[in-house]
Amino acid sequence: MADTDIEDWLDSETKAAEAPADHGDETRLWLRLLTCTTLIEAEIRRQLREEFDFTLPRFDLLAQLERAEDGMVLGEVSRRMMVSAGNLTALVERLVESGHISRTTSPTDRRVQIVALTAFGRKEFRKMADRHGDWIGALFQGLSSRDREVLMKELSKLKGSIRGALADNA
Amino acid sequence: MADTDIEDWLDSETKAAEAPADHGDETRLWLRLLTCTTLIEAEIRRQLREEFDFTLPRFDLLAQLERAEDGMVLGEVSRRMMVSAGNLTALVERLVESGHISRTTSPTDRRVQIVALTAFGRKEFRKMADRHGDWIGALFQGLSSRDREVLMKELSKLKGSIRGALADNA
DNA sequence: GGCAGTTACTTTATGCTTTGATCATCGTGG
DNA sequence: CCACGATGATCAAAGCATAAAGTAACTGCC
């Protein structure tokens, strides 16, 4: 082994010890992911606002309720939307006000609030959901079917990785 | 062509005209993307808050300034962070208040505000950025180097697709 | 010079979001 | 029966975000 090799080895060891892994790769990947999401989300918000004078959180809540024929308990909505319960109070209040959803107290547990789409809310949601699909389709049009497949698969792995990391902390 | 074929053709045409493509694939992909981003972002926000009592927008702004030795014009910060100018007014105000950044009026154009990291802000940012890298690294640990490579490539395509779609609208 | 249009930022109004505190209700063990 | 811990939702305070309107400063054109 030549002197230079030994020096290289010592050097790399020293660097590794002093300056921990910078995770530059992962961070760049994260920023790219964030950029894509932010761009899409901003466009969806803009379209919803311009075409329907509606906000994304309102739309998301209706989307959760669409497949719950008998309504859904507020806590379940909170979990599915991954938002805090406190957040929902005002959001639900406004959607009841605008006639899109109804809200009733559970007959078996008076702490529990049940929200459900009204006929009007369901009709409005269908209209918006159709257009939503169009917007998404347009934004993803540059990806081939194969691209979408690969991306979905990798994102599934990522989701698993995240879940794993979060479980470790807990 | 047999009758059934004609009927099939008519049927598919009719369906295509009445019920446009549902873009279910793309929507599922979008929801998966959104879920991953939301999970990561929530974890980063939580860690920043618990370890440093700092918020993500504040961190993001410092990150933009880190590589601008001579500071940055407010409009440029707005473009890079993809947030509205009005948003920055209060954010900058709070970061000046806490001593992380300085704010000066441009000597050549008195409309222009220049913000820059203070020595304190730079020091604090370095600490947080190091930990930020660790957190991201942990969240992505389940992905192989190859996975990250593929994911980055697909996200680049997606970003291109989005840009293209947005350009068409404009 | 002086007006017109543009640009940079701030202000205002509204809404989303979170954390932490509080209140009401429920189920249970004494 | 009832105190007590757990649970579900609401409230309060703070911060983030936007669009739209407003203010001030610059630039270009006559």
Side-chain angles (χ1 to χ4, degrees), chain B residues 36-96:
Chain B
C36 288
T37 300
T38 302
L39 286 171
I40 296 172
E41 202 175 319
E43 174 65 3
I44 299 301
R45 283 180 194 273
R46 187 183 71 77
Q47 296 274 24
L48 266 180
R49 188 172 64 78
E50 291 192 358
E51 270 194 45
F52 301 104
D53 191 26
F54 220 68
T55 66
L56 188 51
R58 286 165 69 88
F59 177 80
D60 287 344
L61 200 151
L62 297 192
Q64 291 300 328
L65 295 183
E66 201 217 2
R67 294 203 176 144
E69 198 60 50
D70 303 330
M72 197 181 284
V73 167
L74 219 46
E76 178 67 10
V77 177
S78 170
R79 274 186 295 279
R80 294 209 194 199
M81 290 180 70
M82 298 192 284
V83 300
S84 65
N87 187 0
L88 289 182
T89 300
L91 187 55
V92 164
E93 168 58 30
R94 282 188 285 264
L95 281 166
V96 169

Side-chain angles (χ1 to χ4, degrees), chain B residues 12-48:
Chain B
S12 70
E13 281 294 290
T14 304
K15 276 179 188 161
E18 283 178 357
D22 71 342
H23 304 292
D25 266 21
E26 290 94 333
T27 298
R28 273 184 291 278
L29 185 49
W30 159 235
L31 292 177
R32 177 63 50 92
L33 185 70
L34 182 57
T35 297
C36 288
T37 300
T38 302
L39 286 171
I40 296 172
E41 202 175 319
E43 174 65 3
I44 299 301
R45 283 180 194 273
R46 187 183 71 77
Q47 296 274 24
L48 266 180

Side-chain angles (χ1 to χ4, degrees), chain B residues 73-75 85-86 89 103 111-113:
Chain B
V73 167
L74 219 46
T89 300
R103 170 210 200 112
R111 292 169 306 177
V112 172
Q113 298 290 307

Side-chain angles (χ1 to χ4, degrees), chain A residues 27-43:
Chain A
T27 298
R28 273 185 291 278
L29 185 49
W30 158 236
L31 291 177
R32 178 63 52 92
L33 185 70
L34 182 58
T35 297
C36 287
T37 299
T38 302
L39 287 172
I40 295 171
E41 203 175 320
E43 174 65 2

